[in-house]
């Protein structure tokens, strides 16, 4: 638009000739290009279709696709309760900095800003993409990371649990695994039992069996091929299982 306005202004104010119109056209074209580039970088606002198209463009950009998926899910949890706080942003930045090292850049933060400020995030496609590309152990560890975002302010809200539950369902994570993870971050009187995936009425043998099964299922070696931050999260999750087992043993007087 500005290139045509510039051409008209140049024609009348620079001697009413072709040269003036040409100079105005160049200046206007420059303004048009800057406007387009700025809108692509900032990406503030936008409707659901805009964000969906943006995800499709980013997720087809070679090696950056999985990072884009993680950023999109991070944004979904960050904005679940209607506000994005500094503690959540710091948690996400720390994770990506550790996970991607020198490859973590301002571009990642701009992508996060796009999803946080944009329209509805296409969770169905993102979760389906992740489900097709990863094993269930990786998806479970991803949920652990998302719960970490929710707990960054010291409290996991109901709406944050709901969005993570939806993500878990879409990624095909078993409900028992979701409940175990949830109770590592959202505690109640029976949380230790729920972490092990059993009822508080379980027998001593059932408790020991559940612990052995969970210790195998959540062992950090399951995500050994992933980055340092995933390994850190896996170690924390494994420690929570051990703590839950020790708490129950102490309560029950089990040797």
């Amino acid at each position: 638009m500005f290139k045509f306005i510039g051409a008209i202004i140049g024609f009348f104010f620079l001697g009413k000739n072709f040269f003036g119109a040409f100079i105005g056209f160049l200046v206007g074209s420059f303004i048009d290009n800057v406007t387009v580039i700025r809108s692509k970088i900032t990406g503030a606002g936008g409707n659901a279709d805009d964000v969906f198209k943006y995800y499709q463009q980013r997720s087809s950009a070679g090696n950056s696709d999985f990072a884009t998926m993680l950023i999109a899910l991070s944004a979904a949890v960050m904005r679940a309760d209607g506000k994005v706080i500094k503690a959540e942003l710091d948690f996400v930045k720390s994770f990506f900095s550790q996970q991607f090292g020198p490859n973590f850049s301002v571009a990642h933060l701009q992508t996060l800003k796009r999803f946080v400020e944009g329209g509805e995030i296409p969770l169905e496609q993102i979760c389906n993409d992740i489900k097709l590309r990863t094993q269930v152990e990786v998806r479970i560890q991803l949920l652990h990371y998302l719960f970490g975002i929710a707990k960054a302010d010291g409290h996991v809200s109901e709406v944050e649990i709901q969005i993570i539950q939806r993500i878990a369902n879409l990624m095909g994570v078993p409900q028992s695994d979701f409940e175990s993870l949830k109770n590592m971050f959202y505690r109640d009187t029976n949380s230790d039992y729920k972490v092990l995936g059993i009822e508080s009425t379980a027998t001593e043998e059932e408790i020991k069996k559940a612990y052995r099964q969970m210790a195998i299922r959540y062992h950090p070696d399951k995500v050994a091929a992933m980055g340092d931050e995933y390994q850190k999260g896996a170690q924390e999750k494994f420690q929570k299982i051990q703590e839950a087992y020790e708490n129950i043993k102490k309560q029950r007087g089990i040797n």
Side-chain angles (χ1 to χ4, degrees):
M1 178 182 71
F2 285 105
K3 56 181 173 284
F4 298 112
I5 296 175
I8 295 172
I9 293 175
F11 178 79
F12 285 103
F13 287 89
L14 295 177
K16 293 185 179 181
N17 55 43
F18 174 79
F19 179 76
F22 179 70
I23 294 298
F25 182 85
L26 290 180
V27 172
S29 296
F30 174 77
I31 296 174
D32 281 337
N33 290 336
V34 169
T35 302
V36 171
I37 293 172
R38 182 176 297 169
S39 66
K40 288 182 178 180
I41 293 177
T42 59
N47 55 36
D49 289 339
D50 291 336
V51 175
F52 183 77
K53 291 176 182 177
Y54 182 74
Y55 168 72
Q56 289 182 313
Q57 293 169 356
R58 291 290 302 159
S59 64
S60 63
N63 294 329
S64 67
D65 54 351
F66 196 68
T68 299
M69 295 175 193
L70 293 183
I71 290 171
L73 295 185
S74 301
V77 175
M78 290 172 69
R79 70 188 216 181
D81 56 3
K83 58 180 185 286
V84 177
I85 64 172
K86 185 177 184 298
E88 294 172 337
L89 179 59
D90 289 343
F91 184 91
V92 172
K93 288 169 64 176
S94 176
F95 174 86
F96 276 88
S97 180
Q98 291 290 326
Q99 186 67 23
F100 296 101
N103 292 325
F104 177 67
S105 65
V106 174
H108 289 98
L109 295 178
Q110 291 173 338
T111 300
L112 178 63
K113 182 176 185 291
R114 179 69 179 249
F115 283 114
V116 168
E117 297 182 351
E120 184 178 355
I121 296 173
L123 288 179
E124 289 83 359
Q125 180 175 345
I126 294 170
C127 292
N128 186 58
D129 288 345
I130 292 175
K131 183 178 179 181
L132 291 174
R133 298 173 188 224
T134 63
Q135 296 180 332
V136 67
E137 291 82 8
V138 174
R139 284 173 262 147
I140 290 171
Q141 189 55 42
L142 176 54
L143 289 184
H144 185 272
Y145 158 69
L146 295 179
F147 270 115
I149 297 175
K151 191 65 180 288
D153 62 351
H155 172 69
V156 181
S157 68
E158 288 292 338
V159 290
E160 289 171 328
I161 291 176
Q162 290 170 10
I163 192 67
I164 298 175
Q165 172 76 81
R166 184 185 176 203
I167 291 170
N169 292 342
L170 290 171
M171 290 197 303
V173 173
Q175 184 64 23
S176 58
D177 290 299
F178 172 81
E179 289 294 332
S180 176
L181 286 170
K182 184 183 78 172
N183 282 277
M184 294 179 187
F185 294 89
Y186 189 81
R187 305 283 296 175
D188 62 30
T189 55
N190 292 321
S191 283
D192 289 324
Y193 291 95
K194 293 176 181 177
V195 166
L196 296 184
I198 54 178
E199 298 292 334
S200 58
T201 55
T203 66
E204 181 176 328
E205 183 57 34
E206 289 172 334
I207 292 169
K208 291 180 177 180
K209 180 180 179 181
Y211 169 70
R212 289 193 296 268
Q213 292 176 335
M214 295 296 280
I216 293 172
R217 183 166 180 76
Y218 288 108
H219 197 280
D221 286 349
K222 294 284 188 177
V223 291
M226 303 184 71
D228 291 341
E229 275 301 291
Y230 275 105
Q231 282 291 299
K232 178 182 175 182
Q235 291 286 353
E236 291 174 354
K237 179 157 50 62
F238 191 68
Q239 182 63 35
K240 292 289 186 182
I241 291 170
Q242 292 178 313
E243 289 176 0
Y245 181 54
E246 292 300 325
N247 289 340
I248 293 173
K249 283 176 38 178
K250 185 177 180 179
Q251 294 168 7
R252 294 280 195 98
I254 299 173
N255 295 321

